Amino acid sequence: MSGRVCVVGSFMMDLVANAPRRPFPGETLMGTGFATFLGGKGFNQAVASARAGATTALVGRRGGDEFGTMFHAALRAEGVHPGTVLVDDAVGTGVGLPVVEPDGQNSIIVVPRANLLVDIAQIEGSRQAIAESDVLLLQLELPVSTAVAAAQIARESGVLVVLNPAPSAVLPDSLLECVDILVPNQVELFDLINGPAASPADAAEILHARWGTDLVVTLGGDGVLVLSSTLGTHSFPAHQVVPVDTLGAGDVFCGNLGAELADGKDLLSAVARANAAAALAVTRPGGAVAAPRRAELDAFLSHGRLRSVNPSTASS
Ligand code: RIB
């Protein structure tokens, strides 16, 4: 692997509750388990990218508190370059509050805290790290203005820009015009079209027709859908695994996608590998910590790779 990935993204200490279901308003519900994980979409994607074999840098902001110190140690342990992470002593490290249900599905509240202090000056100060990478990975847990600034630097420098539009937000034209590949999940896809669609496939068609950006839609148990102006439409079935925790699966997907693209792989090969990495990740708890290392993923794939299906050529 020779690729370089720069992630501009968040740190969130995940305080995870396992519960039979999400509580209703006014209800107190007994949970069945609790765990803490180092998370945040930026951190998760950076770790997944590094474990996939890419040289990985992370631009972000953490607190000077105990959570922040744990992130610092973890970045070093995972081989993610922490040189562009700033520390804020007044505002605490971001926190995530996921609820994981028995089928592994999750829903999350994030309180970004120090993540919201990432500003244009920090992005400018990270210009070299962004410009020297092959792929820039972005999400939306930092101020959108910083994603725009990072994407513009990448675009000027010929760096491929991959945006995971999570959590959902209105995407300004100044961001969209710099994005090469958009990677929403189903919820984010429907938020982005902001109108009716009969199915995720229809919603993806609408979005692709509207913006022309290559789309990679992650659909959990329904696999992955790719709509590309140059490669056409392709559907990747989900690998058959028993999910215990889907937390961060999309991040593992994005980190592996970025690493493969940075290594020069074509989009469909990169998606196939990212799809397998996410499948492995949902078989164990946590986000970043569940990301497979390259050798493990190689072994998983050698047991039988699932190929993509082009709906226009597939027989019924
Ligand atoms: O995508 C999963 C991540 O989203 C969690 O780690 C949580 O912190 C939120 O950022």
Side-chain angles (χ1 to χ4, degrees):
M1 290 289 285
S2 61
R4 290 160 302 174
V5 171
C6 181
V7 181
V8 175
S10 58
F11 297 96
M12 308 280 181
M13 176 58 84
D14 287 336
L15 310 177
V16 182
N18 296 88
R21 57 176 172 76
R22 276 159 276 185
F24 297 115
E27 180 186 31
T28 299
L29 190 65
M30 296 290 250
T32 55
F34 173 75
T36 59
F37 295 103
L38 299 178
K41 297 181 194 301
F43 176 79
N44 291 344
Q45 293 186 19
V47 170
S49 165
R51 288 187 177 190
T55 300
T56 306
L58 178 56
V59 178
R61 185 121 24 156
R62 64 174 179 84
D65 49 17
E66 189 184 345
F67 291 164
T69 306
M70 291 166 74
F71 275 111
H72 181 69
L75 288 178
R76 295 181 74 89
E78 295 287 349
V80 176
H81 195 275
T84 42
V85 174
L86 298 186
V87 180
D88 186 88
D89 286 321
V91 179
T93 301
V95 176
L97 305 167
V99 175
V100 178
E101 296 174 75
D103 62 359
Q105 293 303 316
N106 72 86
S107 39
I108 312 169
I109 293 172
V110 290
V111 188
R113 305 172 86 202
N115 293 295
L116 292 182
L117 298 182
V118 175
D119 55 14
I120 305 292
Q122 182 174 355
I123 300 298
E124 274 302 325
S126 308
R127 175 175 280 275
Q128 192 177 351
I130 296 169
E132 286 181 349
S133 59
D134 300 296
V135 170
L136 172 67
L137 281 181
L138 296 169
Q139 324 78 37
L140 298 174
E141 289 181 329
L142 307 182
V144 174
S145 58
T146 63
V148 174
Q152 287 173 340
I153 292 171
R155 177 50 64 102
E156 285 163 27
S157 314
V159 175
L160 192 80
V161 178
V162 178
L163 171 64
N164 172 216
S168 290
V170 174
L171 304 183
D173 289 346
S174 53
L175 179 56
L176 278 172
E177 63 200 20
C178 296
V179 172
D180 296 292
I181 303 171
L182 199 56
V183 191
N185 67 13
Q186 184 168 326
V187 170
E188 293 141 10
L189 173 69
F190 279 94
D191 286 345
L192 286 172
I193 67 162
N194 193 26
S199 65
D202 283 350
E205 288 284 357
I206 291 168
L207 200 63
H208 187 56
R210 189 184 295 167
W211 289 339
T213 312
D214 279 3
L215 262 186
V216 177
V217 185
T218 55
L219 296 169
D222 290 329
V224 183
L225 198 55
V226 175
L227 281 79
S228 161
S229 304
T230 52
L231 301 169
T233 298
H234 295 261
S235 171
F236 292 75
H239 289 258
Q240 297 303 304
V241 294
V242 179
V244 300
D245 180 359
T246 60
L247 181 70
D251 299 329
V252 171
F253 182 94
C254 289
N256 277 268
L257 182 72
E260 293 301 305
L261 292 171
D263 194 43
K265 302 295 190 315
D266 65 83
L267 180 60
L268 299 182
S269 308
V271 167
R273 194 167 172 98
N275 189 30
L280 269 177
V282 302
T283 63
R284 46 209 183 206
V289 74
R293 294 181 192 282
R294 194 157 191 87
E296 184 192 6
L297 189 49
D298 285 342
F300 178 71
L301 284 167
S302 72
H303 297 148
R305 177 193 286 263
L306 291 182
R307 302 213 324 267
S308 76
V309 178
N310 183 329
S312 61
T313 56
S315 54
S316 55

